[in-house]
Amino acid sequence: MELIAVNKQPIISLEETIFEGTISTAKPFIEANTIPVSLQEMQHKHIIPVFVKDNEPLISHIDFIESVEQVVHHLYSKENILMPSIRVSHPIKGRIPEARHKPAKELLEHEQTLYYERMAFVIEIPTIHETIDGNLLTLTVGGVKAYNLDNIYSKKGAEEVFKIFIGFQNKVCTNLCVWSDGYTGNIKVRSMKELSDRIFQAICQFKAESYLKAMASFTQFSLTEKQFAQMLGKCRLYPFLGSEQKKELPPLLFGDTQTGFIARDYYKDDSFCRNEDGSISLWKVYNLFTGANKSSYIDTFIDRGVNAFDFTNNLVGTLQTGSESWFLN
C-alpha cells in the first residue's frame, strides 16, 4: 500500500488498469424515479432554465458537472478518473412557439424542449481504493442539483443551491458511503467562480484515511437480533416524537419506506443480511441504510447518505462506551 499526497492530503492509492472513457458505474447509485442520461445528451438536447426577471441563465447541470470534473482532474491528475454517471428526474417539458397548437402526440423532436429539474452524478476514481470486510471501496466525487431549490423568479445574482459530496462507493452494491465531516448541506453561490471554489474546498478537506478508519471500525461491533429489531422499531417511532425529544436524540432522516427496505434486506440482502444467529455487524447495518437510501428522491439523497454514516457512527459510540441509547435501550 502506497501513501501519496494530493494537495497535502494523504490518500490511499493502488494502481489499477482502467479503460479511458469508462462510465463511473454501470449500476444505478440511486433509483427512486430517476433515469440515466449521458453527458452528450445533456449537452446537446437539454435546454437551460433562466431567471424570469432578466432571462439570464442559471448555472446549468452541465456547468456543475464540468466544474467538479475540472477540480477532480486537477487534484487527482495522476489517477484514473472515469466519466460521470448521471441520473435525472422530474422532467420539465415544453415546445417551440410554432408547435403551440399541435397535439402532444404529433410533436416532432425538434419542436419539443426538455430539461430535468433534478440531477445527481458521481465521478469515480478507481485507482484510489481500499477493502473493508471483503468489500472493494473506490473513491467517488459527485453532486446534486435541484432547480426547485432556486428562486428562478428573481434575477441573475440570486443564490443558487448545490450539494457536493466525496466518499467511497461500495462496488459490491454501488452503495455510496458519503463523507460527513465538514458537510454543510446546501451550498449557496452566486457565480461559477464561487461554485468552483466551494468544490475545491470540499474536496481538499476530505481526509480519506480517517474516513476509512471510521468505516472499518463498523466491522468490530454487532447488534443482536433483539437490538436490531428494537433499533429499527425506534427508527419508525422517531418521526412521531415531539420536537423537544428529537433535540435530545441523534437526527434520523430515513422515513418509513426506507426502514421497510432495511427490514426486508436484513433477511434477504445477498451481501449484508444477518448472520445465522440473527446478529449483524454495524458495517452491514450501515450498508443496509445506504442501500435503502437508493429509494430516496434526488433532493434528499445526499443528506440521507450523510445521515446514514452519522447514525451508524453514533451506534458505534454507544456500544463502545456502554452508554444508554434511546434507539437501543
Side-chain angles (χ1 to χ4, degrees):
M1 183 178 293
E2 177 189 1
L3 291 180
I4 64 172
V6 177
N7 199 41
K8 299 184 180 180
Q9 298 296 324
I11 298 292
I12 298 170
S13 177
L14 297 173
E15 291 188 358
E16 183 178 288
T17 301
I18 300 291
F19 293 102
E20 290 187 6
T22 303
I23 301 296
S24 288
T25 176
K27 297 179 181 179
F29 60 92
I30 181 175
E31 296 165 351
N33 62 337
T34 63
I35 60 172
V37 65
S38 69
L39 201 62
Q40 292 74 22
E41 179 181 345
M42 187 172 285
Q43 287 172 325
H44 299 295
K45 293 187 177 181
H46 294 187
I47 64 171
I48 300 172
V50 300
F51 288 103
V52 171
K53 288 189 176 179
D54 57 12
N55 205 32
E56 291 292 335
L58 282 81
I59 298 173
S60 68
H61 293 331
I62 198 72
D63 289 334
F64 183 27
I65 295 170
E66 289 178 346
S67 293
V68 174
E69 277 192 302
Q70 289 173 6
V71 173
V72 169
H73 279 275
H74 173 70
L75 293 177
Y76 300 102
S77 58
K78 296 182 180 180
E79 305 295 337
N80 285 329
I81 300 169
L82 304 190
M83 296 285 289
S85 174
I86 308 167
R87 309 283 299 186
V88 293
S89 71
H90 295 74
I92 308 296
K93 299 178 181 180
R95 59 176 70 194
I96 63 174
E98 292 80 3
R100 63 187 182 278
H101 297 306
K102 274 191 173 184
K105 63 182 180 181
E106 295 179 9
L107 287 171
L108 302 177
E109 184 175 354
H110 75 277
E111 296 173 327
Q112 303 176 55
T113 64
L114 173 69
Y115 72 89
Y116 286 86
E117 182 183 79
R118 304 176 195 182
M119 180 275 303
F121 71 96
V122 295
I123 299 172
E124 186 185 346
I125 309 171
T127 47
I128 300 177
H129 63 272
E130 183 58 282
T131 300
I132 295 180
D133 200 29
N135 297 157
L136 177 64
L137 306 179
T138 61
L139 185 64
T140 303
V141 182
V144 165
K145 174 62 185 172
Y147 286 124
N148 61 302
L149 300 179
D150 297 332
N151 178 16
I152 65 172
Y153 296 100
S154 184
K155 61 175 64 175
K156 191 69 175 179
E159 290 182 330
E160 300 178 55
V161 181
F162 299 84
K163 294 181 182 181
I164 304 163
F165 66 88
I166 182 168
F168 286 85
Q169 183 179 97
N170 191 333
K171 299 303 290 182
V172 170
C173 49
T174 67
N175 289 357
L176 288 181
C177 305
V178 180
W179 172 54
S180 62
D181 290 346
Y183 176 75
T184 57
N186 294 337
I187 294 175
K188 298 179 180 180
V189 302
R190 290 182 167 86
S191 68
M192 282 294 299
K193 184 182 184 306
E194 278 188 63
L195 179 60
S196 296
D197 289 345
R198 295 297 295 273
I199 295 168
F200 187 87
Q201 291 169 11
I203 297 176
C204 286
Q205 289 172 7
F206 180 60
K207 298 177 178 62
E209 288 182 317
S210 60
Y211 184 52
L212 288 168
K213 182 178 179 180
M215 288 194 292
S217 71
F218 293 172
T219 65
Q220 301 168 17
F221 299 91
S222 297
L223 300 179
T224 65
E225 184 175 32
K226 181 178 180 180
Q227 285 176 316
F228 180 83
Q230 181 155 339
M231 181 271 294
L232 203 60
K234 290 293 185 71
C235 287
R236 293 199 169 198
L237 293 176
Y238 179 86
F240 305 102
L241 296 177
S243 57
E244 291 301 317
Q245 190 172 359
K246 283 183 179 180
K247 289 179 182 178
E248 300 175 359
L249 300 174
L252 181 68
L253 303 182
F254 286 74
D256 200 53
T257 298
Q258 286 75 38
T259 52
F261 288 141
I262 293 169
R264 178 199 65 190
D265 291 340
Y266 169 75
Y267 292 103
K268 297 185 176 181
D269 189 271
D270 292 334
S271 303
F272 305 113
C273 65
R274 65 176 188 161
N275 300 319
E276 289 186 3
D277 62 356
S279 66
I280 184 169
S281 72
L282 289 188
W283 170 250
K284 289 185 176 181
V285 170
Y286 176 48
N287 278 276
L288 291 184
F289 271 87
T290 57
N293 190 32
K294 290 182 181 180
S295 67
S296 300
Y297 277 13
I298 282 176
D299 54 343
T300 60
F301 179 68
I302 300 306
D303 301 281
R304 282 178 174 163
V306 170
N307 184 237
F309 176 83
D310 290 340
F311 184 80
T312 310
N313 207 32
N314 186 271
L315 293 178
V316 168
T318 298
L319 296 177
Q320 197 170 34
T321 62
S323 56
E324 289 192 2
S325 167
W326 181 82
F327 286 98
L328 291 180
N329 297 330

